[in-house]
Amino acid sequence: MDLILIAVISLGAIGLISAVILYAASKKFAVYEDPRIAQVAEVLPQANCGGCGFPGCAGFAGACVKAADSGSLEGLLCPGGGASCMEKIASILGMEAVASEPKIAVVRCNGSCENRPRIAKYDGAQSCAIAHTTSGGETACTFGCLGCGDCVAACKFDAIHMNPETGLPEVDEDKCTACGACVKACPRFIIEIRPKGKNNRRMVVMCVNKDKGAIANKACKVSCIGCGKCVKVCPFEAITLENNLAYIDPAKCKSCRKCEPECPKGAIHAINFPPRKPKAEAPVADAAPKAAPAPKAEAPKAEA
Amino acid sequence: MKTFRIGGVHPAENKLSAGKAIETLALPKQAVFPLSQHIGAPATALVKKGDAVKVGTKIAEAGGFVSAAIFSSVSGKVNKVDAIVDASGYRKPAIFIDVEGDEWEESIDRSTTLVKECNLKPEEIVAKIKDAGVVGMGGACFPTHVKLSPPPGCKAECVIINAVECEPYLTADHQLMLEKADEILVGVSILMKAVNVTKGYIGIENNKPDAIKLMTEKAAQYPNIEIVPLKVQYPQGGEKQLIDAVIRRQVPAPPAIPINVGAVVQNVGTAYAVYEAVQKNKPLFERIVTVTGKSVKNPSNFLTRMGTPMSQLIEAAGGLPEDTGKVIGGGPMMGKALLNIEVPICKGSSGVLIMNDKEAARAAENPCIRCAKCVSVCPMGLEPFLLATLSAKKDWERVEKEDVMSCIECGSCQFTCPSHRYLLDYIRLGKGTVGGIIRARNAKK
């Protein structure tokens, strides 16, 4: 009987002392964390994609709270959650959400198996990073897509997939959050984060080849050859030509579509625009807001 | 028999062109000289369109200390300075020269008499080697004058000549020793004088008994030069492996270099180039290239002017076989598959290997079975399976910690892997990335 009593008392005493120490320690070494950080983190997607530029969702939540204390949420955007997520965060923090333009990843290469003749066969490890460092790739274009799918592996939102027919990655517009993981994964900087554009319509030069015209022309049927026709026709000075490559500045482009038919190689794509009328007179000038909320999703990817 | 102590493999030797006398290849119609044929800064072109050049005219000068000048191997007119598609498919700047006749610079001594005496001071020798654009002829193309200028605090104790030719198929160095033994030995003594040492070794693998015998006989006149027969083991031609095999010293992990253990390693082809540069005033513009392969009609060793397209060499060896699977620049272990056979012969082109379909086919990759064969063959004592996995997972911090920078990319791990894993592909990616991270870190300091 004694034995049990001693055990109970001694263990009880140890427990009591430990409890006191733990309590004291928890008070003494307590770290204050703003409860709002946890609240904000709760509404974030928790994909930890890093698209916001902070180390994971917790890091972003901390940054939001800090920004709220200093007065404005400007410049902060969770690309995964989008505008609705930012609104929720703003309401938690008692701020007003700063509207930001929705963006999307665009694969700027149209060198499908059909457009780009294969001149060699790559049989190394299926990784774009490795293929890029060992060789110019299977085609004569040393700037275009290598097709090993590093971008697909990098996407945390299942928003980019290889099309087995073209051998090129395609972005799922509904799923893409413009986090930029694929941009970092691509060793050839083919993917760009661009604004989605009005009514989800945008003009893009689908080529990143910087070779001289003759070489680029030979390497691929739909390459930009740097002829500059689009630059001349653009009424808004939105197109620049550098290193034999045209680039459309999304901030200046008004989606007038004048450059699209001008390109002799069909390298400029008008994405999500309705098909042109048989006799195009090009007075579409400004696909302005008057065209009401147009039906978007079903518009097929325009192929020039 | 001596050899290095860690790892190593022994691939089938396939020295098909052994014993084939060196043939002089006809001049090309147009010679092309890429401006970057060596490790270090690219050379800067000195000529422009329309300029007339002779054989041995300097057409590009070194773009820095770690760089080398380039000399024309033909006489004629500069056609253009433009980009050429290099062996890996990328465009690199190059000088194109249309060949007219064969007129040499007068300063070059074209006689075949052996000039033994060399009364130049060490600095003068190094300057002359630098002015002749000599680089390591084994394949890495490290400028020779840099190796002969030890950094402060380091003292060379011996010169080791790499006459190992451990790559299967290649026989260029072997044949060079058989035909130019005297010149090589003079070259070695010049190299010894340049770094002010009294001991020289020439390491030769014992699959070349005729070369060992001949060199030993000839070296009898040079009491300071010792011929060291070595056991056949790949990659014995690696600097660090050769040092270990010959003088039993181990070079510590990077940034340590062979001079830290007192060794200066040069290729046997480089020794010959040094002889020609110093004694004959002949800059580096031709070299011996092995053209070989199981389906090639006449595997041969050609004395080739630089800038000659590889297709011309293949033609001279009997043409491209029908069952060609891959054309490789260099040997089968470390060479690179070419995307284009119009690429020119450069300072580091030791061979052109044509593999047939069967040889070239790469087996499908299977899961790692943890047999650790790659670990036991790694001559640097690394763990290739781990480095490859970490690189694939992009864990660069650990890749660096596991000493990826020590990897010499010899390919022994991949050669031996029973699961045919792409070990070296991933390790190279890791090495490249970590190298970039280290350079960026050092630049910040």
Side-chain angles (χ1 to χ4, degrees), chain A residues 1 15 23 32 35 41 70 155 166 168 173 176 197 202 215 231 250-251 268:
Chain A
M1 204 54 197
Y23 179 78
Y32 173 76
S70 59
C155 185
T166 57
L168 297 170
E173 300 203 359
C176 178
R202 54 197 171 265
I215 297 164
V231 178
I268 299 181

Side-chain angles (χ1 to χ4, degrees), chain A residues 86-146:
Chain A
M86 288 313 291
E87 263 165 39
K88 276 186 218 156
I89 294 174
S91 69
I92 290 170
L93 300 172
M95 310 278 303
E96 223 165 86
V98 180
S100 62
E101 209 174 1
K103 289 184 176 167
I104 192 165
V106 180
V107 181
R108 294 177 296 165
C109 176
N110 192 25
S112 58
C113 309
E114 208 175 278
N115 291 333
R116 220 165 19 140
R118 297 301 193 250
I119 57 164
K121 199 167 162 286
Y122 172 71
D123 64 357
Q126 283 295 304
S127 149
C128 300
I130 292 174
H132 176 68
T133 45
T134 42
S135 74
E138 295 187 326
T139 70
C141 175
T142 53
F143 296 88
C145 179
L146 290 156

Side-chain angles (χ1 to χ4, degrees), chain B residues 48-200:
Chain B
K48 54 183 192 304
K49 192 182 166 172
D51 285 357
V53 294
K54 288 182 189 169
V55 176
T57 308
K58 194 193 255 191
I59 51 174
E61 68 181 348
F65 179 64
V66 184
S67 183
I70 297 167
F71 294 82
S72 174
S73 64
V74 293
S75 62
K77 270 210 176 84
V78 178
N79 181 302
K80 57 183 172 177
V81 180
D82 200 0
I84 184 178
V85 179
D86 73 354
S88 51
Y90 289 107
R91 273 164 205 286
K92 299 277 163 64
I95 299 169
F96 294 69
I97 296 176
D98 288 331
V99 180
E100 291 163 17
D102 191 23
E103 200 184 326
W104 289 48
E105 288 277 356
E106 277 113 37
S107 56
I108 302 171
D109 175 5
R110 293 184 70 181
S111 68
T112 50
T113 43
L114 184 72
V115 187
K116 267 186 155 178
E117 288 305 305
C118 175
N119 297 322
L120 298 170
K121 283 195 210 109
E123 312 84 72
E124 289 169 340
I125 295 174
V126 176
K128 226 170 164 183
I129 289 171
K130 188 181 177 192
D131 286 341
V134 179
V135 302
M137 305 282 274
C141 300
F142 195 81
T144 302
H145 66 267
V146 181
K147 271 196 189 174
L148 298 180
S149 320
C154 292
K155 169 94 184 70
E157 289 166 40
C158 63
V159 168
I160 301 176
I161 298 298
N162 172 7
V164 166
E165 204 156 50
C166 58
E167 276 272 0
Y169 287 99
L170 302 187
T171 56
D173 290 350
H174 182 185
Q175 204 55 37
L176 182 73
M177 281 190 281
L178 293 181
E179 299 189 21
K180 305 282 180 195
D182 289 313
E183 286 86 345
I184 290 168
L185 287 164
V186 177
V188 177
S189 36
I190 294 171
L191 283 169
M192 283 157 61
K193 200 169 172 190
V195 285
N196 209 3
V197 299
T198 50
K199 192 70 202 161

